[in-house]
Amino acid sequence: MGSVSLKIGDGTARFRRATLCSSALHLLMLLSVVTTNLFALYAFTRHPNNGGGGGGGHQKNLSLISERVSQILREIESSQKRLASIEREILGYDTLDPNHPSVPPELRLFLRRHPLPLGRDSRSGITDMASSVSHLCSSPSSLPLLSHFSSYEPYSSCPANADLSLAVKLVTRGCEPLPRRRCASKSPSRAIGGGGDSRWGPVPDKAVDWSGFGCKSFDCLYKKPIGREFDLINGSERFRWVRSRGKNDFLVDEVLNLGRGNVRIGFDIGGGTAGFAARMAERNVTVVTSTLDIDAPFSQFVAARGLFPLFLTAGQRFPFHDGVFDLVHVWNGFGEGNKRKEWLEFLMFDVDRVLRVGGLLWLDNYHCLDDERKRELTMLIERFGYKKLKWVVGEKADTGNAGGKPKVYLSAVLQKPPRG
Ligand SMILES: *[C@@H]1O[C@H](CO)[C@@H](O)[C@H](O)[C@H]1NC(C)=O
Ligand SMILES: *[C@@H]1O[C@H](CO)[C@@H](O)[C@H](O)[C@H]1NC(C)=O
Ligand SMILES: CC(=O)N[C@H]1CO[C@H](CO)[C@@H](O)[C@@H]1O
């Protein structure tokens, strides 16, 4: 019973910032569990006083007590269940019920546990393979999409209709990782070979699958705002990181020098068309670029440049081991628009985790929503004890809305300190 009260304590602390409504609910639950506990106390103290009879009477009283105790336990259990469901509601947490009618049989099959053919594996201790999808796959906004995603004829081609954009929609809603499927996906008909020039030469239209996108060619894409990144000849990335446009723009060589020639592998978070990885590749640094195909075929474009695209949102724990990267590069999209500072903290700790000691974190024109956010970010970085090798705060006129406040940008190169 002590554990019940503890659980309440935890819950209250965890949801300190939750809505007024949810705290009221918690109060209610707290009251209900306290009542249950009082009831238990009453039951335990009352009976010995009443029971003064012979052996047979004792027996009877004992069975009565045990019946009451089990009744109390049942009540506690149901309180716990109610509490858990309230917690889930507050978190927006749903559990995927594989037997729900909207879950397609293929998804059910995927999620089923698969026993290992030789029984228990002595090294890992597991007896079966489990496959998972995230809890957010079952949120009301994702479940219909997921059902669509997992409805197909096994062994045939995957549904062509907006298939790729469906995957992006799901992962950006937190349904990540996506389930595997038993259908053949559409691949571009022509993969292009590697080589120096392919990194900056125009990528042929045939190197990517255009299904699900408004444009069906690069010429069309170049004309859109998002397409400037794709234009490797005249576009926005052409001289980025090799020619400075202002004090917030650091050059790759400058940053590599700060790393004293010890930068060999890096991770670019939200790296778009991987211009950064291309520049790094020219300097023999291998960079993995996380990119999402929002409104344009980013991943296959990056691959066509001979670079490594990683299909991953910033909401996901990075699929890398601790302390592996010499460099993490982060630009615009890093937590932008997320009001909760804890979100940034979770992200920052994960960045810190994958960086090796002495590795560099390059914040590149990081757009701080306002001064408050800049202060928060600065404080956070200082708490990590990184050495500031470069630190530039700049303002740029907001070209988007005339007369708007200038935007605050932070560019910094920070070095991860050793920790005990
Ligand atoms: C780049 O600009 C030049 C000159 O304006 C033009 O001839 C060329 O077609 C452009 N290339 C691309 C890929 O847009
Ligand atoms: C990259 O590696 C190649 C082959 O080892 C070497 O010839 C070249 O000089 C290196 N480039 C840089 C910038 O270090
Ligand atoms: C609470 C209760 O049932 N008490 C009983 C315990 O046993 C004695 C003797 O059999 C009864 O007289 C009590 O009523």
Side-chain angles (χ1 to χ4, degrees):
M1 265 159 282
S3 77
V4 176
S5 335
L6 253 177
K7 192 142 194 266
I8 290 274
D10 266 347
T12 331
R14 198 147 13 109
F15 298 113
R16 229 178 328 158
R17 283 168 224 270
T19 59
L20 208 66
C21 167
S22 75
S23 15
L25 278 176
H26 270 101
L27 205 65
L28 204 77
M29 288 312 297
L30 188 70
L31 274 177
S32 117
V33 175
V34 166
T35 321
T36 321
N37 282 329
L38 282 177
F39 180 52
L41 198 67
Y42 169 73
F44 277 122
T45 50
R46 197 182 77 140
H47 288 278
N49 292 347
N50 287 358
H58 253 304
Q59 212 63 28
K60 220 171 140 195
N61 286 352
L62 268 182
S63 73
L64 204 72
I65 288 173
S66 80
E67 195 183 303
R68 292 238 173 154
V69 167
S70 54
Q71 187 190 344
I72 289 161
L73 288 178
R74 275 197 302 276
E75 282 207 23
I76 288 173
E77 200 181 322
S78 90
S79 305
Q80 272 178 328
K81 275 189 188 146
R82 260 181 293 160
L83 184 64
S85 90
I86 287 170
E87 279 193 13
R88 278 206 301 273
E89 219 167 279
I90 291 166
L91 280 171
Y93 187 105
D94 286 294
T95 34
L96 187 76
D97 174 11
N99 295 319
H100 194 276
S102 69
V103 170
E106 278 292 296
L107 182 56
R108 213 169 291 156
L109 207 57
F110 169 76
L111 292 174
R112 187 174 294 163
R113 292 181 158 267
H114 299 278
L116 295 180
L118 301 178
R120 186 174 179 278
D121 176 66
S122 60
R123 286 205 322 181
S124 60
I126 59 169
T127 51
D128 50 13
M129 299 290 290
S131 313
S132 64
V133 290
S134 97
H135 66 279
L136 283 172
C137 291
S138 57
S139 73
S141 69
S142 299
L143 190 55
L145 296 173
L146 181 69
S147 301
H148 188 176
F149 183 79
S150 292
S151 302
Y152 55 84
E153 192 67 38
Y155 287 95
S156 65
S157 328
C158 296
N161 185 19
D163 195 46
L164 283 169
S165 59
L166 197 57
V168 172
K169 271 187 197 143
L170 279 163
V171 298
T172 50
R173 279 163 175 73
C175 180
E176 189 179 27
L178 286 168
R180 284 184 174 152
R181 303 188 295 181
R182 294 189 298 164
C183 60
S185 80
K186 196 175 162 199
S187 309
S189 53
R190 201 169 74 123
I192 60 164
D197 274 337
S198 70
R199 293 192 198 119
W200 292 102
V203 169
D205 288 343
K206 277 191 171 166
V208 305
D209 173 12
W210 294 94
S211 59
F213 298 114
C215 278
K216 304 293 173 202
S217 72
F218 284 112
D219 276 335
C220 162
L221 198 58
Y222 293 159
K223 296 191 186 86
K224 314 249 172 199
I226 200 176
R228 295 194 53 224
E229 255 190 84
F230 286 82
D231 184 350
L232 298 180
I233 310 296
N234 302 325
S236 57
E237 302 285 275
R238 186 70 185 143
F239 298 109
R240 193 138 187 214
W241 301 294
V242 286
R243 277 190 209 164
S244 182
R245 294 166 304 178
K247 62 183 175 127
N248 272 68
D249 285 355
F250 306 154
L251 306 181
V252 275
D253 290 329
E254 177 182 12
V255 174
L256 288 177
N257 282 339
L258 292 173
R260 303 221 177 102
N262 289 324
V263 176
R264 289 172 309 162
I265 57 170
F267 176 32
D268 188 15
I269 301 172
T273 51
F276 181 76
R279 285 296 173 216
M280 282 298 184
E282 289 163 3
R283 283 144 184 90
N284 294 338
V285 178
T286 305
V287 169
V288 176
T289 306
S290 79
T291 190
L292 285 179
D293 292 44
I294 297 177
D295 296 333
F298 283 92
S299 298
Q300 288 179 344
F301 183 84
V302 170
R305 297 178 81 180
L307 300 165
F308 192 141
L310 188 64
F311 190 75
L312 184 83
T313 71
Q316 177 88 305
R317 179 182 157 107
F318 302 130
F320 304 112
H321 201 277
D322 299 7
V324 293
F325 285 111
D326 305 313
L327 172 77
V328 173
H329 178 249
V330 163
W331 38 330
N332 305 337
F334 190 62
E336 193 180 342
N338 201 299
K339 289 246 160 59
R340 286 211 164 188
K341 78 177 196 339
E342 290 91 342
W343 196 88
L344 194 62
E345 287 171 6
F346 277 115
L347 190 57
M348 190 55 204
F349 271 90
D350 210 23
V351 167
D352 177 75
R353 180 183 67 79
V354 298
L355 262 181
R356 68 163 168 83
V357 169
L360 305 181
L361 167 58
W362 179 353
L363 285 179
D364 190 348
N365 284 274
Y366 174 74
H367 171 206
C368 306
L369 284 184
D370 46 36
D371 267 343
E372 163 96 31
R373 284 298 296 267
K374 196 195 80 203
R375 246 195 328 274
E376 270 175 17
L377 182 67
T378 310
M379 266 168 56
L380 181 61
I381 288 168
E382 279 164 3
R383 280 173 75 179
F384 278 88
Y386 277 52
K387 191 168 164 192
K388 292 178 183 169
L389 302 180
K390 279 175 91 65
W391 184 274
V392 176
V393 178
E395 288 191 349
K396 284 182 210 168
D398 187 351
T399 44
N401 56 355
K405 274 198 298 185
K407 288 180 169 178
V408 182
Y409 287 87
L410 171 65
S411 289
V413 178
L414 307 156
Q415 188 168 36
K416 178 169 166 172
R419 294 197 189 101

